[in-house]
Amino acid sequence: MNRAERRRLQREEKKIQGSTKVTVIEAPYSNPKQQQLEKLAQELKTPIEKLGQLKKAAWDEGFEEGQNWSNAINTLAIAFALNDLYGFGWMRFQRTIRKANEYMTACNDRRMTVMGLAQEATEKWGMHFDKETEDLIKSIGL
């Protein structure tokens, strides 16, 4: 193919490309409001995912803070009760708390359950819980 033929082909291709217009045809059932909503949903998808991650992080942090607060209050209350009732000193109290922490760590690590501890306390010592506490232990079931 010589130079003249190549140029002629190029001109014909340009004519074909120039005369061909691309038109966008909307679907017959498209709804502009629906399209806006879908576009907005796409734009919000990433922030919503981030919001979910932030929510989980806040929940975890709040749970840990609540757990620490509960532990602090219970520790103080038990310390005073053991001292008032049985004359426990600081060293005996520390040993008691360490042992209690071992049980709670085992429950948190799923090596034993709170339900199992409650059943064992009932079997060993005849310790019974009020209905509300028993229902709470059953519902959480750790």
Side-chain angles (χ1 to χ4, degrees):
M1 173 184 305
N2 65 25
R3 184 175 174 181
E5 290 173 340
R6 279 195 308 267
R7 285 189 177 168
R8 184 181 50 79
L9 280 174
Q10 286 175 349
R11 282 193 303 268
E12 287 176 15
E13 286 175 2
K14 283 184 183 178
K15 284 182 186 178
I16 292 172
Q17 288 175 356
S19 66
T20 307
K21 291 182 180 177
V22 177
T23 56
V24 176
I25 300 173
E26 287 189 24
Y29 302 110
S30 70
N31 180 345
K33 294 286 185 189
Q34 179 68 25
Q35 289 175 351
Q36 288 175 347
L37 185 60
E38 288 172 2
K39 183 180 178 183
L40 183 61
Q42 284 297 329
E43 291 173 358
L44 291 176
K45 186 177 182 181
T46 303
I48 288 174
E49 289 171 355
K50 286 182 183 176
L51 183 62
Q53 292 169 353
L54 289 173
K55 181 180 175 184
K56 184 182 181 328
W59 171 264
D60 290 344
E61 183 179 319
F63 181 80
E64 187 175 329
E65 187 173 321
Q67 190 175 21
N68 292 342
W69 174 247
S70 176
N71 289 343
I73 290 173
N74 288 332
T75 301
L76 282 172
I78 290 170
F80 277 92
L82 288 173
N83 181 270
D84 290 347
L85 294 173
Y86 307 108
F88 274 32
W90 178 242
M91 296 303 285
R92 185 182 280 179
F93 177 71
Q94 278 188 317
R95 286 192 308 269
T96 304
I97 292 300
R98 272 194 221 105
K99 190 64 177 173
N101 283 340
E102 288 175 18
Y103 286 116
M104 295 315 301
T105 300
C107 289
N108 289 337
D109 294 343
R110 308 277 195 242
R111 289 181 278 141
M112 64 174 48
T113 63
V114 175
M115 181 69 106
L117 287 173
Q119 288 172 346
E120 188 175 336
T122 301
E123 292 166 6
K124 274 186 171 180
W125 308 309
M127 182 178 176
H128 295 286
F129 300 97
D130 62 10
K131 182 75 173 142
E132 186 178 327
T133 303
E134 192 174 301
D135 291 344
L136 180 65
I137 290 171
K138 286 179 183 176
S139 69
I140 295 176
L142 290 173

